[in-house]
Amino acid sequence: MELSEHTAAAGTIRVDEQDGRTVVVLVGEVDAALRDEASATMAQALISGDPVVVDTTHATFIDSSGIAFVLQLHLAAREAGIPVSLQDPHRVLRDVLEMIGMGDEFVSEPSLAVPEPA
């Protein structure tokens, strides 16, 4: 398996603009391999100042690094006065947020019909 194949299969984080909101889409396996991508995505997601929706519809796995990304995004957005909500939160993410007492910090959104990754 080539490195590029592994990266594509592992996962990605991307930012889409939709209806005046910034949608951060977590796809596939969201783990430590996406650290650099997560940092760049966080900056991109916050620059517009629009409300942020974190969409985990297409996430198949989220480890502690992925959960840390969502928490850091939430904290940075809160400092900037930007609301963050979750769309279709992955069970692991939802469970961990509840476990650490942050489940009530995020509003859940109905599906936004973000196109599936190519």
Side-chain angles (χ1 to χ4, degrees), residues 27-83:
V27 179
E29 296 178 13
V30 181
D31 56 22
L34 299 178
R35 186 169 313 193
D36 292 338
E37 190 173 344
S39 294
T41 301
M42 188 176 309
Q44 184 182 2
L46 298 174
I47 200 160
S48 73
D50 291 336
V52 174
V53 177
V54 178
D55 177 6
T56 61
T57 304
H58 303 293
T60 57
F61 173 80
I62 301 174
D63 76 354
S64 60
S65 298
I67 292 166
F69 166 74
V70 173
L71 291 173
Q72 290 169 348
L73 176 62
H74 169 70
L75 292 173
R78 184 171 64 187
E79 286 180 16
I82 300 170

Side-chain angles (χ1 to χ4, degrees), residues 94-116:
R94 190 176 50 242
D95 290 350
V96 170
L97 291 174
E98 289 296 326
M99 190 180 343
I100 64 173
M102 292 203 57
D104 293 336
E105 292 286 321
F106 294 88
V107 174
S108 291
E109 295 239 343
S111 179
L112 295 174
V114 173
E116 198 157 331

